[in-house]
Amino acid sequence: DAGTRMGLPPEVAYQLAVGTFIGASTLAQRSDDPPQVLRERVTSKGGTTYAALTSMEAAGVKAKFEEALFAAQKRAEELGREFGK
């Protein structure tokens, strides 16, 4: 959505978003280094990745991801009890 709001055609925005996630996932999967180290290697202070990460940190994105994971865990436990009867 953000890509199209920036003026990209929807198919280009989609391909860029998917490519970013595939690239990051593949790098993490193939590396023995922790994700934090990989992120530091691709983040130049004052660069575009730095700007994006700083923006997300300020918006509380990390906390929201953690909230989402705990909500999913809670629901999984509820479903496990329901179906375990």
Side-chain angles (χ1 to χ4, degrees):
D1 290 344
T4 56
R5 287 195 305 274
M6 291 176 180
L8 295 172
E11 58 279 355
V12 173
Y14 174 82
Q15 289 299 321
L16 288 170
V18 170
T20 298
F21 281 99
I22 290 172
S25 298
T26 301
L27 179 62
Q29 184 180 39
R30 293 182 181 171
S31 177
D32 292 329
D33 293 322
Q36 178 70 18
V37 170
L38 299 174
R39 191 218 29 96
E40 289 169 358
R41 286 187 187 149
V42 301
T43 305
S44 303
K45 187 140 186 157
T48 58
T49 301
Y50 180 81
L53 292 173
T54 301
S55 171
M56 289 191 303
E57 287 171 5
V61 171
K62 181 179 178 181
K64 290 298 180 185
F65 270 105
E66 289 177 3
E67 268 182 48
L69 290 171
F70 282 111
Q73 178 188 33
K74 179 182 175 190
R75 184 61 182 143
E77 290 168 354
E78 293 167 353
L79 290 170
R81 284 191 297 276
E82 282 181 38
F83 291 112
K85 293 181 181 178

